[in-house]
Amino acid sequence: MAGFAATILIGTGLLMLPIARVGPGGASFLEALFTATSAVCVTGHIVVDTAAYWTPFGQVVILALVQIGGFGIMAFASVIGLAVVRRMSLRAKVTTAAEAHSMGLDDVGGLVLGVIRISLVVEVVVAVMLTLRFAIGYGEPIGRAAWLGVFHAVSSFNNAGFALFSDSFVQYATDPFISLPICAAIIIGGLGFPVIMQLRKHLGRTLKWTMNTRIVVAGTLALLVTGWVYITAIEWNNPATLGPLDWPSKLLVGFFTSVQTRTAGFNSIDTGLMDPASWLGMDALMLIGGGPAGTAGGIKITTFAVLFFIIVTELRGDGAVNVFGKRLSRAVHREAITVVLLAVAVIVAATTALLLMTDFDLDRVLFEVVSAFGTVGMSTGITADLPPAGQLILVLLMFIGRLGPITFASSIALRKRRITYEFPQERPIIG
């Protein structure tokens, strides 16, 4: 956490330089701090227009911070995963290594190199596709097209949501050659490094997938489709969003918007004009987020899945929580419940604070808070209008949302206190 805080402060200093801002003078401390935090935490929340406010130097700084933040989280989370594995028994270590077909429990260097390799391959492929589209389809000069391609490829794979267009991707809403590559990069980055590595080795052999991979892949597909159907159905006749479009465009924009709730944060329609019912559904999707050890935020699909299977088990009256032929330990139950309850507590506290200091309604404030905590970056348009104290709350939310769940979850997984006695058992009335 100290390392990421230091990176944010360095980025803040660079963005305060006069060379980073269009026009005379440099950016204010709060503008630079907010932007640097949003970039390092790969959120995408902005208080100034990225395309108009920052110079090419400032945009390069933002892009570098996004890459550092995205790569750093993937590497850090993967190494933490190894640390958790080291706490297991020798038998469990061998079993885990065999199931994951990993490169070895002690090969941390290889792990980090794998993260770098996957990141660069996806970003280069998407950058080339976008560059060709901007150059051939829209007549952009090759230098400008390449910069647009690289910037948005890095921003999308890292689920950052920073765009070099003032309206994000509204002007390209119906262009599948731009929307779909960006969606693909977001989905791949949101799966998480362990899942990407296993899919690369055993894409067509599902029997060799670990429980983590199965949960993340199944959960990602389910949430993407659910969000796609939900958002498209509600906004279908909204004259301010999908209403004026033909049905293929409505489906494309609805899918693009659903993908953004995986913690990316771009938009191809005006989020502030969407139906409040859409906001509420998107709140839930943003809170869940993507896969662990990846570039996505939120409480993670695996955490949500564990709670879902606990509920199913209780409703069926079973004695143990079984998932894909494996039994979940009770320690995992406690970890998931703890992470979710702490996330809800943070969101409620921040929402209450912003309601007390602003005149915005609950729908917009809750959307803003969940988006910041889930490191999504989508907004109904109130970010820049928040008072300085409110913007600082969002800065703290982005930092907690990005590093808090990983740090806390790893700490409770690594810390085990042996108690040699038990108290008498008694059951309170539930419900």
Side-chain angles (χ1 to χ4, degrees):
M1 294 182 74
F4 271 80
T7 304
I8 289 173
L9 291 178
I10 293 172
T12 301
L14 291 173
L15 291 176
M16 290 180 68
L17 297 174
I19 192 176
R21 179 194 170 190
V22 175
S28 68
F29 174 75
L30 183 56
E31 291 171 340
L33 174 65
F34 193 99
T35 304
T37 304
S38 183
V40 173
C41 297
V42 291
T43 305
H45 263 315
I46 57 174
V47 289
V48 294
D49 188 338
T50 305
Y53 190 84
W54 302 109
T55 63
F57 173 82
Q59 293 171 2
V60 169
V61 170
I62 292 172
L63 189 66
L65 294 176
V66 167
Q67 188 71 288
I68 292 171
F71 163 72
I73 282 293
M74 289 182 74
F76 172 66
S78 299
V79 171
I80 284 294
L82 282 181
V84 173
V85 170
R86 290 172 190 272
R87 299 284 297 189
M88 298 179 181
S89 65
L90 179 59
R91 181 187 300 273
K93 289 182 184 180
V94 174
T95 302
T96 302
E99 286 182 348
H101 294 271
S102 64
M103 58 197 73
L105 298 178
D106 298 316
D107 189 9
V108 177
L111 190 71
V112 175
L113 288 176
V115 173
I116 296 176
R117 190 180 302 113
I118 289 173
S119 300
L120 292 181
V121 167
V122 175
E123 289 172 358
V124 167
V125 171
V126 175
V128 170
M129 295 174 68
L130 293 177
T131 297
L132 293 175
R133 184 57 180 167
F134 283 124
I136 298 174
Y138 296 94
E140 294 282 358
I142 188 63
R144 168 70 175 170
W147 172 234
L148 291 175
V150 170
F151 188 95
H152 294 110
V154 173
S155 184
S156 57
F157 175 73
N158 289 286
N159 282 218
F162 281 93
L164 293 181
F165 308 109
S166 298
D167 61 354
S168 192
F169 282 91
V170 172
Q171 59 185 306
Y172 304 107
T174 59
D175 188 341
F177 297 101
I178 289 181
S179 297
L180 294 182
I182 288 176
C183 287
I186 292 167
I187 293 170
I188 294 172
L191 289 175
F193 173 73
V195 174
I196 297 173
M197 284 294 294
Q198 192 159 76
L199 291 179
R200 187 171 66 89
K201 293 180 180 179
H202 308 292
L203 180 59
R205 293 176 286 181
T206 57
L207 292 178
K208 293 189 175 183
W209 291 4
T210 61
M211 179 192 294
N212 181 76
T213 298
R214 296 182 183 189
I215 289 176
V216 172
V217 171
T220 297
L221 291 175
L223 292 172
L224 282 175
V225 173
T226 300
W228 183 13
V229 173
Y230 180 85
I231 294 170
T232 305
I234 292 179
E235 299 297 327
W236 189 268
N237 293 317
N238 186 341
T241 55
L242 300 185
L245 305 176
D246 56 31
W247 72 263
S249 297
K250 290 181 180 182
L251 294 178
L252 176 63
V253 174
F255 177 73
F256 185 87
T257 305
S258 175
V259 172
Q260 304 317 306
T261 62
R262 315 310 307 136
T263 81
F266 296 116
N267 63 280
S268 57
I269 53 177
D270 191 337
T271 309
L273 299 178
M274 296 178 72
D275 192 284
S278 296
W279 294 343
L280 184 59
M282 293 164 70
D283 286 341
L285 294 171
M286 292 189 296
L287 178 61
I288 295 170
T295 58
I299 62 173
K300 302 297 185 286
I301 291 174
T302 45
T303 304
F304 174 76
V306 167
L307 294 183
F308 173 78
F309 287 120
I310 289 175
I311 293 173
V312 171
T313 300
E314 289 299 320
L315 292 177
R316 294 174 58 179
D318 295 338
V321 180
N322 299 314
V323 182
F324 298 123
K326 300 290 182 67
R327 179 173 56 85
L328 290 179
S329 70
R330 295 196 176 276
V332 175
H333 304 183
R334 296 193 299 268
E335 291 167 17
I337 293 171
T338 303
V339 168
V340 171
L341 289 180
L342 286 176
V344 170
V346 170
I347 289 171
V348 170
T351 301
T352 303
L354 289 179
L355 285 173
L356 290 174
M357 66 178 62
T358 67
D359 294 327
F360 297 115
D361 55 44
L362 175 61
D363 292 335
R364 294 180 182 273
V365 171
L366 180 62
F367 190 93
E368 199 81 9
V369 168
V370 174
S371 179
F373 179 80
T375 68
V376 182
M378 301 186 80
S379 175
T380 59
I382 68 173
T383 311
D385 297 326
L386 294 173
Q391 293 179 2
L392 288 175
I393 288 176
L394 293 187
V395 167
L396 186 60
L397 279 172
M398 289 187 285
F399 191 78
I400 293 174
R402 192 57 179 152
L403 288 175
I406 293 176
T407 306
F408 182 77
S410 61
S411 68
I412 60 179
L414 290 169
R415 184 188 302 116
K416 294 194 177 183
R417 193 164 60 119
R418 184 177 297 277
I419 300 177
T420 58
Y421 60 89
E422 289 186 352
F423 290 103
Q425 189 177 52
E426 186 175 348
R427 178 171 179 165
I429 299 174
I430 303 297

